[in-house]
Amino acid sequence: MSDPLKYLLDESRLPEAWYNIAADLPVPPPPPLDPRTLEPLPPEALQALFPDELIAQEMSAERHIAIPEEVRDILRLWRPSPLFRARRLEKALDTPARIYYKYEGVSPAGSHKPNTAVAQAYYNKKAGIRRLATETGAGQWGSSLAMACQMFGLECEVFMVRVSHDQKPYRRALMELFGATVTASPSVRTAAGREILARDPECSGSLGIAIAEAVEVAAGRDDTNYALGSVLNHVLLHQTVIGLESMEQMAMANDYPDTVVGCTGGGSNFAGIAFPFLGEQLRGGRPVRLVAVEPEACPSLTRGRYAYDWGDTAKLTPLVKMHTLGSTFIPAGFHAGGLRYHGMAPLVSLVKDLGLTEAVGLPQLECFSAGIQFARAEGIVPAPEASHAVAGALREAIRCKEEGKSEAILFNLCGHGHFDMQAYINYFAGKLENYAYPEHEIAMALAGLPPVPGQ
Amino acid sequence: MSDPLKYLLDESRLPEAWYNIAADLPVPPPPPLDPRTLEPLPPEALQALFPDELIAQEMSAERHIAIPEEVRDILRLWRPSPLFRARRLEKALDTPARIYYKYEGVSPAGSHKPNTAVAQAYYNKKAGIRRLATETGAGQWGSSLAMACQMFGLECEVFMVRVSHDQKPYRRALMELFGATVTASPSVRTAAGREILARDPECSGSLGIAIAEAVEVAAGRDDTNYALGSVLNHVLLHQTVIGLESMEQMAMANDYPDTVVGCTGGGSNFAGIAFPFLGEQLRGGRPVRLVAVEPEACPSLTRGRYAYDWGDTAKLTPLVKMHTLGSTFIPAGFHAGGLRYHGMAPLVSLVKDLGLTEAVGLPQLECFSAGIQFARAEGIVPAPEASHAVAGALREAIRCKEEGKSEAILFNLCGHGHFDMQAYINYFAGKLENYAYPEHEIAMALAGLPPVPGQ
């Protein structure tokens, strides 16, 4: 047992501060705009949805933001998470690459999402809020927020994308076990939902629609705020514990990643693992190659436009500059529900626009195949979302083999697939297929971008 | 963060040897008997089912048996598992008790079962076996053996208790993902299954029936052996890594358990955590109170007889002396599928007969309620089986509060409930109820015990 398989950190080594990439980027992030005036949004405009401390984090350019003790006290129930060297996978691939993965599936909800859910519940509770409304795709975010709300004594209302709601009753049950109320989206509970249903009563939903519903509920009540599981700057900030821990763990392994790989839906797990390494590079440290892996069937980073757009389909949110397929884009009902978002985190988009990360869109069959290969070697069954990162890492490892290069590849295994076995059942039954949108469909969705000058 | 929540061991501290309680018990374990001659079974009689090294472990009185490096090399993918101090639960209960739990849900299959699956697959592979046949209740054992077989390149055939097969398609999918073939039991594949189905075509199955089917398949083919997920001495032996690690981790916490609690179906997870502590006591060390928690609806330890009985319903196995409800006893279809066995591990039974452990049978509604209370405090959703241990620990913690005693309670959280959300759905829907068998039904099943003199 001379070559370790995993690197553990004691809970005393849980990071004491989050890392904010905005402090190290060569340009400031473009501000969100008021959709009516097209002027930069004043922080007050967000107060209907978020507590002041989260708004401050959203706008902050401070490099380090202290993690409150109350938040660390819950995070340490499962953090620091382990970092593994995938020696069995390396052997199966016969690759000279050194493959590492950070495993976020050890959280009680089975994914990285509780990292920000706990922080958001804490700041809202501190601000006197009684209830949080949110959306969820695969259910990973909803169950994470439900757990965090339970722990801070908040009510939790979750709008769950209908396709996931129907396919994943167990995720729904998990939210309800933690005391949340769950509604399939689009729903008749909100004006946004009713409008969609009037046009398409069979609509399978999307993250954009569910966001619109949750925002509507939160904006309409003083005691209720909104919580988002990805995309926003403060969410990405909270996820940087992943990368900060990974840096320590890579040091324990006497190694450093040449390439860091993560899957991107809204962008938070990718940013969580990648930004601390990117920050090191931007401050003159060792360079690192970043690879964002998205589904071919929802290709915001690889085929979308870097432009101002609404975050939701109902055009209720401020405009943010991001890689987007247009807010009316509703991706096909593929199985990585957590990656079904028309846009991308503004910070990840900016990093992409600056040429600081690569991006690749992968077909879902390749991702399932990679997930199964991974499970058979390492034991852990990846969530369909996480299998995109696995597939991206496998491509890198195979490239290393072809090129005869011994590089270090680190990827984020952001969640386990124990709630997603129906997707694997469908895969084995041959019911899944790849889907790439024709150019004209993407062009059509992009035609609906808001009239911001210069785009 | 001065009071740790969890105690981690580096993989280099994975135990190097299993602990065998037979070495320290005041009497030798009663031998298994040949059901035809009622004479002690010669080791050769087991060779149709097991490799020699496992048979040797089954009969061994050696205190320590080295864990092969090939086995440790896979166990360390997730071991040592964490030991938690349940501070949030203690606070919620307002108890002076110090509650610790060992968490086996971190294994890729989500339970303690891979601890023995890996060892059994290894010894069979080493003996030249090509295929393993087994049974599974809730699916935790089957998925664990499927994973272990995949890792050692063995085929795996699983007979899954029909009630679980139908209620838990995701567990079945997990087995298939690892390459196993899965058959609902009772099945028409075996004579044992056909006989049961002829009497009751709607039979929901039991572990006893599924064992009979797997044994029949294994006995009929030279290249196929049988693997059992609990009950047998060598299985309990392999699970002692749980207790051995716990002893180290309790020392890290500068504490020692007054009471060790585990749930009992076949007995292996209870023995795994309890026997190393019991051994310490038997060698003159610190005394410990053991509490085995079983379902009220399958009360082998609390209401069964300590007698020789068949391990399966088809009366194919040797006779073993254990607490049994009679091999024809088919428990009600309650949700802790892994606890639906008519008998109990002979070593656990002997320990109970010697007065070295207590046992309690709990109603399932209390267990679900305890599991939910635990999840809301600690985040982790227990498997329905594990919720029996949670409920047992809660009873102890409440007793401590009533008596004003600050005792240390350690329990084994042997698996997470991510595959068992249907059971929670049914619980919340009010579909579950408690069930205690009337005395005459138990007496009737016990009337079918084999004619061993003196019982």
Side-chain angles (χ1 to χ4, degrees):
Chain A
M1 298 224 299
S2 55
D3 301 320
L5 291 186
K6 56 188 186 304
Y7 300 91
L8 304 178
L9 295 171
D10 192 78
E11 66 193 57
S12 66
R13 292 169 76 187
L14 182 67
E16 294 182 4
W18 293 299
Y19 167 67
N20 182 6
I21 190 81
D24 290 316
L25 287 176
V27 296
L33 303 182
D34 184 314
R36 289 158 304 180
T37 64
L38 303 186
E39 292 295 316
L41 199 74
E44 312 83 80
L46 295 171
Q47 288 177 333
L49 299 181
F50 302 108
D52 288 344
E53 290 193 73
L54 288 179
I55 295 171
Q57 289 178 5
E58 190 66 19
M59 309 291 187
S60 173
E62 291 294 312
R63 182 171 289 121
H64 300 290
I65 295 175
I67 308 177
E69 277 309 300
E70 294 87 342
V71 172
R72 297 179 77 224
D73 210 42
I74 293 180
L75 292 183
R76 69 193 175 110
L77 282 169
W78 67 93
R79 300 207 75 84
S81 66
L83 183 136
F84 288 83
R85 171 84 183 265
R87 294 187 189 275
R88 295 176 54 84
L89 181 65
E90 291 171 17
K91 203 172 164 190
L93 294 170
D94 188 27
T95 175
R98 303 183 301 287
I99 306 175
Y100 298 87
Y101 59 98
K102 178 74 167 168
Y103 184 39
E104 291 292 308
V106 295
S107 85
S111 79
H112 64 292
K113 295 284 186 183
N115 296 332
T116 182
V118 170
Q120 292 190 53
Y122 165 75
Y123 288 115
N124 275 289
K125 177 73 177 182
K126 197 177 163 199
I129 287 296
R130 203 175 60 78
R131 195 170 68 138
L132 287 179
T134 196
E135 75 294 330
T136 197
Q140 282 163 339
W141 166 243
S143 49
S144 302
L145 191 68
M147 181 188 81
C149 283
Q150 172 63 233
M151 287 180 168
F152 284 106
L154 293 169
E155 288 179 31
C156 184
E157 174 152 21
V158 183
F159 289 89
M160 186 172 191
V161 176
R162 185 175 296 277
V163 61
S164 295
H165 182 272
D166 295 347
Q167 282 172 4
K168 303 188 174 180
Y170 294 0
R171 275 276 178 199
R172 192 172 75 233
L174 183 57
M175 291 182 252
E176 289 167 349
L177 187 154
F178 284 125
T181 59
V182 182
T183 305
S185 167
S187 78
V188 295
R189 297 245 353 249
T190 66
R194 288 189 295 270
E195 190 189 332
I196 298 274
L197 288 172
R199 287 204 307 270
D200 177 8
E202 301 300 313
C203 177
S204 63
S206 72
L207 277 177
I209 296 170
I211 290 172
E213 295 203 76
V215 165
E216 184 181 324
V217 163
R221 284 179 60 160
D222 279 350
D223 65 349
T224 304
N225 265 350
Y226 170 68
L228 189 65
S230 191
V231 178
L232 298 178
N233 300 350
H234 67 268
V235 178
L236 275 56
L237 177 79
H238 300 155
Q239 293 295 355
T240 56
V241 290
I242 302 171
L244 293 167
E245 290 173 8
S246 296
M247 296 189 88
E248 277 208 62
Q249 289 164 314
M250 290 300 297
M252 288 167 78
N254 293 313
D255 210 341
Y256 199 87
D258 297 292
T259 302
V260 176
V261 180
C263 65
T264 46
S268 75
N269 96 73
F270 170 74
I273 195 163
F275 281 3
F277 289 98
L278 177 59
E280 190 70 18
Q281 168 185 322
L282 292 170
R283 293 190 303 276
R286 184 158 163 178
V288 65
R289 210 178 127 234
L290 306 183
V291 179
V293 185
E294 62 185 10
E296 183 187 48
C298 193
S300 54
L301 275 176
T302 51
R303 299 181 66 196
R305 190 177 301 164
Y306 184 51
Y308 273 102
D309 197 6
W310 290 279
D312 67 330
T313 51
K315 307 186 178 179
L316 288 174
T317 68
L319 303 180
V320 292
K321 192 159 187 184
M322 60 179 177
H323 284 82
T324 180
L325 296 160
S327 64
T328 59
F329 181 88
I330 298 181
F334 59 93
H335 273 285
L339 306 182
R340 302 177 81 248
Y341 183 57
H342 69 273
M344 181 51 58
L347 282 173
V348 172
S349 296
L350 176 57
V351 161
K352 170 72 164 57
D353 191 60
L354 290 169
L356 297 171
T357 184
E358 300 172 25
V360 57
L362 295 190
Q364 73 170 346
L365 296 184
E366 176 179 344
C367 297
F368 275 101
S369 170
I372 291 162
Q373 186 170 11
F374 179 84
R376 290 181 175 183
E378 299 287 318
I380 301 169
V381 179
E385 293 81 4
S387 73
H388 286 70
V390 175
L394 253 59
R395 282 197 177 191
E396 293 298 323
I398 291 162
R399 177 188 57 74
C400 285
K401 183 179 177 180
E402 288 167 357
E403 296 176 0
K405 285 183 181 163
S406 175
E407 297 179 9
I409 300 160
L410 168 64
F411 74 91
N412 194 12
L413 189 69
C414 63
H416 68 59
H418 290 179
F419 286 102
D420 305 287
M421 295 310 297
Q422 189 60 49
Y424 284 97
I425 292 172
N426 294 349
Y427 171 78
F428 280 116
K431 290 183 185 167
L432 303 187
E433 50 191 32
N434 294 329
Y435 188 73
Y437 285 90
E439 198 56 52
H440 72 271
E441 283 194 34
I442 288 179
M444 200 165 62
L446 287 174
L449 289 180
V452 176
Q455 75 182 30
Chain B
M1 298 223 300
S2 55
D3 301 321
L5 290 186
K6 57 189 186 304
Y7 300 91
L8 304 178
L9 295 171
D10 192 79
E11 67 194 58
S12 65
R13 292 169 75 186
L14 183 67
E16 294 182 5
W18 292 299
Y19 167 67
N20 183 5
I21 190 81
D24 290 315
L25 287 175
V27 296
L33 303 182
D34 185 313
R36 289 157 305 182
T37 65
L38 302 186
E39 292 296 315
L41 198 74
E44 313 83 81
L46 296 171
Q47 287 176 334
L49 299 181
F50 303 107
D52 288 345
E53 290 193 74
L54 288 179
I55 296 171
Q57 289 179 5
E58 190 65 21
M59 308 289 187
S60 173
E62 291 294 312
R63 182 171 289 122
H64 300 289
I65 295 175
I67 308 176
E69 276 310 300
E70 294 87 342
V71 173
R72 296 180 77 223
D73 210 41
I74 292 180
L75 292 184
R76 70 193 175 111
L77 282 168
W78 69 92
R79 301 207 73 85
S81 65
L83 183 136
F84 288 83
R85 171 83 184 267
R87 294 188 191 274
R88 295 177 53 87
L89 181 65
E90 291 171 15
K91 204 173 163 189
L93 295 170
D94 188 27
T95 175
R98 302 183 302 286
I99 306 175
Y100 298 88
Y101 60 98
K102 178 74 165 167
Y103 184 40
E104 291 292 308
V106 295
S107 85
S111 79
H112 63 293
K113 295 285 185 181
N115 296 333
T116 182
V118 170
Q120 293 189 52
Y122 165 76
Y123 288 116
N124 276 288
K125 177 74 177 183
K126 196 177 164 197
I129 288 296
R130 204 176 59 78
R131 195 168 70 135
L132 287 179
T134 196
E135 76 295 329
T136 197
Q140 283 164 338
W141 166 243
S143 50
S144 302
L145 191 69
M147 180 188 81
C149 284
Q150 172 63 232
M151 288 181 167
F152 284 105
L154 294 168
E155 288 178 33
C156 185
E157 174 155 21
V158 183
F159 289 90
M160 187 173 191
V161 175
R162 185 174 296 277
V163 62
S164 294
H165 182 272
D166 296 347
Q167 282 172 5
K168 304 189 174 181
Y170 293 180
R171 276 277 178 199
R172 191 173 77 234
L174 183 57
M175 291 181 250
E176 289 166 351
L177 187 154
F178 285 123
T181 58
V182 182
T183 304
S185 167
S187 79
V188 295
R189 299 248 350 252
T190 66
R194 288 189 294 271
E195 191 188 329
I196 298 273
L197 287 172
R199 288 204 307 270
D200 176 10
E202 302 299 312
C203 178
S204 63
S206 72
L207 277 176
I209 296 169
I211 289 171
E213 295 202 76
V215 166
E216 185 181 323
V217 163
R221 285 180 58 159
D222 279 351
D223 65 350
T224 303
N225 264 350
Y226 170 68
L228 188 65
S230 190
V231 178
L232 297 179
N233 300 349
H234 67 267
V235 179
L236 275 56
L237 177 79
H238 300 156
Q239 293 295 355
T240 57
V241 289
I242 302 172
L244 293 166
E245 290 173 7
S246 297
M247 294 187 89
E248 276 208 64
Q249 290 163 314
M250 290 299 297
M252 288 167 78
N254 294 312
D255 210 342
Y256 199 87
D258 296 293
T259 304
V260 176
V261 180
C263 65
T264 46
S268 74
N269 96 73
F270 169 75
I273 196 164
F275 281 4
F277 289 98
L278 177 59
E280 189 69 19
Q281 168 186 322
L282 292 170
R283 293 189 303 276
R286 185 158 162 178
V288 65
R289 210 178 127 233
L290 305 183
V291 179
V293 184
E294 63 185 10
E296 182 187 51
C298 193
S300 54
L301 276 177
T302 51
R303 299 180 65 195
R305 190 178 302 165
Y306 184 51
Y308 273 103
D309 198 5
W310 290 279
D312 67 330
T313 51
K315 307 185 177 179
L316 288 173
T317 69
L319 303 180
V320 292
K321 192 159 186 183
M322 61 180 176
H323 284 82
T324 180
L325 296 160
S327 64
T328 58
F329 181 87
I330 298 180
F334 59 93
H335 273 284
L339 306 182
R340 302 178 80 248
Y341 183 58
H342 70 272
M344 181 51 58
L347 282 173
V348 171
S349 296
L350 176 56
V351 161
K352 169 72 163 55
D353 191 60
L354 291 169
L356 297 171
T357 183
E358 302 172 23
V360 59
L362 295 190
Q364 74 171 346
L365 296 184
E366 176 179 343
C367 297
F368 275 100
S369 170
I372 291 162
Q373 185 170 14
F374 180 83
R376 291 183 173 182
E378 299 287 319
I380 301 169
V381 179
E385 293 81 3
S387 73
H388 286 71
V390 175
L394 254 58
R395 281 197 177 192
E396 293 298 323
I398 291 163
R399 176 188 57 74
C400 285
K401 184 179 176 180
E402 288 166 356
E403 297 176 357
K405 285 183 182 165
S406 175
E407 296 179 9
I409 300 161
L410 167 65
F411 73 91
N412 193 11
L413 189 68
C414 63
H416 68 59
H418 290 181
F419 286 104
D420 305 287
M421 295 310 298
Q422 189 60 49
Y424 283 98
I425 292 172
N426 294 349
Y427 172 77
F428 280 117
K431 289 182 184 167
L432 304 186
E433 49 191 33
N434 293 329
Y435 189 74
Y437 285 91
E439 198 56 52
H440 73 270
E441 283 193 34
I442 289 179
M444 202 163 63
L446 286 174
L449 289 179
V452 177
Q455 74 184 34

